[in-house]
Amino acid sequence: MDSSKQTQTQIVQMTQFIINEAKDKAEEIDTKALQEFSVEKLKIVNSTKDKIQQDYVRKTKVLDTQAAIARSTAINRSRLEKIKSRQDMLGKLAEESKQQLVQQLKSDATLKSFITNLIVQGALILLEDEVQVRCRATDDAIVTACFDAASKEYTKIIKTETGANKAVKLSLDKDVKLPPAPSSAAHGKSCLGGVALACQNGTITIDNTIDSRLGLVLEQAKPTIRHLLFSK
């Protein structure tokens, strides 16, 4: 009887031990599982944070790039508009200068003196014995009328500057003519007047037309014009 009671007690103790071991093991498994869950959760959270941050940085860079492009586009547009405005104003100034010059040259005396000076300037650059003078067909008469005065002035300047006696023979080029005056009805090249000089069978030429001289003056005066008009 005592032996049976002792055995029963031992069985209870073993059962309790097994249950306790099972509980401990279960707690250990739960703890480990919780730790692993926490680690994985932290990894997922960190990974998500990194992804969000990277996505934020990427989007920020895209926005910054778009903003920089927009600023650059706006600046370039403003510059182009300013350049166009300046070019339009310079073009308007050139057109007004042409009109005023043409108006001033309506006087035959003024035009004759002007053409004579153009011929002399060109001849002094060429320094040839024979020079052909080209002009518009409508200017043949007045240009021819300037030859005598131009030849004398040429000889006078050479004598004054060098002491040498040198003459130039001027002739009208009847084959090559400068384009006609500008007209709203006509298209193509036009010429405000003036002359072109040629020598050596036309291989050497000097453009002394009004268009050429006016263009040269405006080009040389551009810095001053820009300063006066656009310095503010």
Side-chain angles (χ1 to χ4, degrees):
M1 186 67 177
D2 291 338
S3 176
S4 175
K5 189 175 182 180
Q6 185 178 2
T7 299
Q8 187 66 31
T9 301
Q10 290 177 347
I11 291 172
V12 171
Q13 289 176 347
M14 289 179 64
T15 301
Q16 190 63 42
F17 176 77
I18 292 170
I19 291 172
N20 290 335
E21 283 290 321
K23 286 181 178 180
D24 292 341
K25 192 66 176 176
E27 288 178 358
E28 182 182 342
I29 291 172
D30 287 343
T31 301
K32 186 175 181 182
L34 184 60
Q35 289 176 345
E36 290 178 352
F37 171 76
S38 298
V39 171
E40 288 301 319
K41 180 182 177 182
L42 184 61
K43 286 182 180 179
I44 293 172
V45 170
N46 289 336
S47 175
T48 303
K49 283 183 178 180
D50 290 341
K51 186 177 180 181
I52 292 173
Q53 288 177 347
Q54 290 174 2
D55 192 48
Y56 173 78
V57 170
R58 181 182 62 80
K59 289 182 178 179
T60 301
K61 287 183 178 179
V62 170
L63 290 174
D64 289 343
T65 301
Q66 291 176 344
I69 292 173
R71 284 195 301 271
S72 178
T73 301
I75 291 171
N76 288 336
R77 185 184 299 113
S78 176
R79 286 176 178 171
L80 289 174
E81 289 175 354
K82 187 178 291 185
I83 290 172
K84 184 179 182 302
S85 177
R86 290 182 176 182
Q87 289 300 115
D88 289 344
M89 190 168 290
L90 288 172
K92 184 179 179 181
L93 181 62
E95 190 60 33
E96 289 178 354
S97 299
K98 288 180 182 179
Q99 293 175 4
Q100 290 180 10
L101 186 57
V102 169
Q103 192 66 28
Q104 290 175 5
L105 293 176
K106 282 187 175 181
S107 165
D108 287 345
T110 303
L111 180 59
K112 190 173 181 180
S113 175
F114 181 72
I115 291 176
T116 299
N117 288 333
L118 292 179
I119 294 173
V120 173
Q121 289 171 3
L124 287 171
I125 294 174
L126 294 174
L127 290 175
E128 292 286 333
D129 295 334
E130 294 185 6
V131 174
Q132 280 190 313
V133 182
R134 297 170 179 174
C135 63
R136 300 181 304 186
T138 55
D139 295 334
D140 282 355
I142 194 165
V143 168
T144 303
C146 296
F147 285 174
D148 185 56
S151 297
K152 289 178 179 178
E153 182 65 19
Y154 172 84
T155 300
K156 179 182 176 182
I157 292 174
I158 294 291
K159 179 68 174 178
T160 301
E161 296 296 327
T162 66
N165 292 314
K166 184 174 176 60
V168 60
K169 181 181 179 182
L170 300 172
S171 62
L172 185 69
D173 192 333
K174 297 181 180 180
D175 297 322
V176 181
K177 291 297 176 185
L178 298 180
S183 170
S184 57
H187 300 285
K189 291 184 178 181
S190 64
C191 179
L192 293 171
V195 295
L197 284 76
C199 62
Q200 303 292 332
N201 295 320
T203 56
I204 301 175
T205 60
I206 296 293
D207 186 352
N208 243 5
T209 59
I210 294 175
D211 309 72
S212 174
R213 297 304 299 269
L214 183 60
L216 180 62
V217 169
L218 288 174
E219 187 64 31
Q220 291 175 341
K222 271 185 179 179
T224 302
I225 294 172
R226 287 196 183 101
H227 178 72
L228 292 174
L229 297 179
F230 314 120
S231 59
K232 293 182 180 180

